[in-house]
Amino acid sequence: VVEGVGGAKAGAAASTRRGAEARRHGTEAGNILARMGKCLWADRFGRYVGRNMTTGEEISARVYLMGMPLWGNLAPAKHHAQLVKNLLQPEMDSPFGIRSTSSSDPRYTNANMITPYSNWRGPIWINANAMLIYGLARTPDYSATALPLAEKVVHALAQDLRNNGTWHECLSSVVREALIFCLYKLQNKEKSSFTRYPFWCRMDMGLQRRGS
């Protein structure tokens, strides 16, 4: 009996500690959301922007990251309409998926080059598009926009598979051709390709199956 009472007390104490910890994490999460809204949301653009981590200077380039708060369910409802509108503008929304960088940006390119890096300056990334699609799918009043985007990405992947016999992690946002980006190891100059990521591609195809 004593052991049972002692065990119950220990369990209650642990439960109390977990509850206190949960409340602390909840408070911290609320504080982070408040700072995110204050520092990263730009009313004049109707979207989220970036910040230089050293200087705090605003980085206003139009990139796919503007939509990531939808995926994390972090964007308040009052921002949904402007955010979705910005994300689906023609300069971001290509025939094959959401571009990594707006086509109106002077640095935009789909060139297959590594010096300087071009792979996030225009091409479509499958993992990023899958996250954006999931974000749209869970956003009230805008979930219908997710399936057409998923279909475009899946069709591009199907063409990639027909042309190359595999899926690639990034595709050109101008033509339906996989971009092959290779990194070179500094020591032995061995070419190391990081282009085939079937799991990321399955994320998007799985969403399309559920949506249809």
Side-chain angles (χ1 to χ4, degrees), residues 25-85:
H25 286 308
T27 299
E28 291 177 355
N31 292 336
I32 291 172
L33 276 176
R35 288 195 295 272
M36 186 179 117
K38 180 180 178 180
C39 299
L40 300 182
W41 177 260
D43 272 325
R44 67 188 185 283
F45 297 136
R47 60 180 171 83
Y48 290 96
V49 297
R51 292 278 175 186
N52 183 301
M53 293 295 292
T54 301
T55 65
E57 181 182 1
E58 180 182 283
I59 302 172
S60 60
R62 294 172 60 84
V63 296
Y64 76 99
L65 290 169
M66 72 171 83
M68 285 302 169
L70 294 175
W71 172 70
N73 199 26
L74 302 175
K78 64 181 180 180
H79 294 333
H80 288 174
Q82 288 179 293
L83 194 52
V84 173
K85 180 181 178 180

Side-chain angles (χ1 to χ4, degrees), residues 16-208:
T16 299
R17 287 195 298 273
R18 286 194 296 270
E21 185 176 4
R23 288 190 293 274
R24 179 172 60 81
H25 286 308
T27 299
E28 291 177 355
N31 292 336
I32 291 172
L33 276 176
R35 288 195 295 272
M36 186 179 117
K38 180 180 178 180
C39 299
L40 300 182
W41 177 260
D43 272 325
R44 67 188 185 283
F45 297 136
R47 60 180 171 83
Y48 290 96
V49 297
R51 292 278 175 186
N52 183 301
M53 293 295 292
T54 301
T55 65
E57 181 182 1
E58 180 182 283
I59 302 172
S60 60
R62 294 172 60 84
V63 296
Y64 76 99
L65 290 169
M66 72 171 83
M68 285 302 169
L70 294 175
W71 172 70
N73 199 26
L74 302 175
K78 64 181 180 180
H79 294 333
H80 288 174
Q82 288 179 293
L83 194 52
V84 173
K85 180 181 178 180
N86 267 292
L87 189 63
L88 298 182
Q89 288 294 307
E91 64 190 77
M92 291 299 301
D93 187 12
S94 82
F96 317 120
I98 300 296
R99 296 179 173 93
S100 49
T101 296
S102 165
S103 60
S104 66
D105 192 299
R107 294 160 295 187
Y108 170 78
T109 179
N110 282 275
N112 185 1
M113 61 183 184
I114 211 69
T115 306
Y117 285 98
S118 65
N119 50 348
W120 287 97
R121 290 164 55 193
I124 295 160
W125 283 79
I126 304 305
N127 57 339
N129 269 265
M131 294 166 75
L132 292 171
I133 291 165
Y134 277 103
L136 290 169
R138 69 171 55 173
T139 302
D141 299 326
Y142 298 97
S143 58
T145 62
L147 187 57
L149 179 56
E151 289 174 340
K152 288 196 291 188
V153 177
V154 169
H155 290 162
L157 286 171
Q159 186 64 48
D160 184 25
L161 188 61
R162 285 191 289 268
N163 290 348
N164 303 294
T166 188
W167 285 326
H168 292 84
E169 62 180 340
C170 66
L171 303 171
S172 170
S173 61
V174 176
V175 293
R176 232 176 247 159
E177 296 176 358
L179 296 181
I180 311 300
F181 291 109
C182 297
L183 302 180
Y184 288 83
K185 296 181 180 179
L186 295 178
Q187 293 183 346
N188 56 16
K189 303 297 182 181
E190 176 187 352
K191 184 180 290 188
S192 177
S193 177
F194 290 85
T195 61
R196 300 180 181 183
Y197 284 82
F199 172 73
W200 292 353
C201 304
R202 293 192 192 107
M203 291 169 65
D204 188 80
M205 298 188 76
L207 177 65
Q208 187 190 25

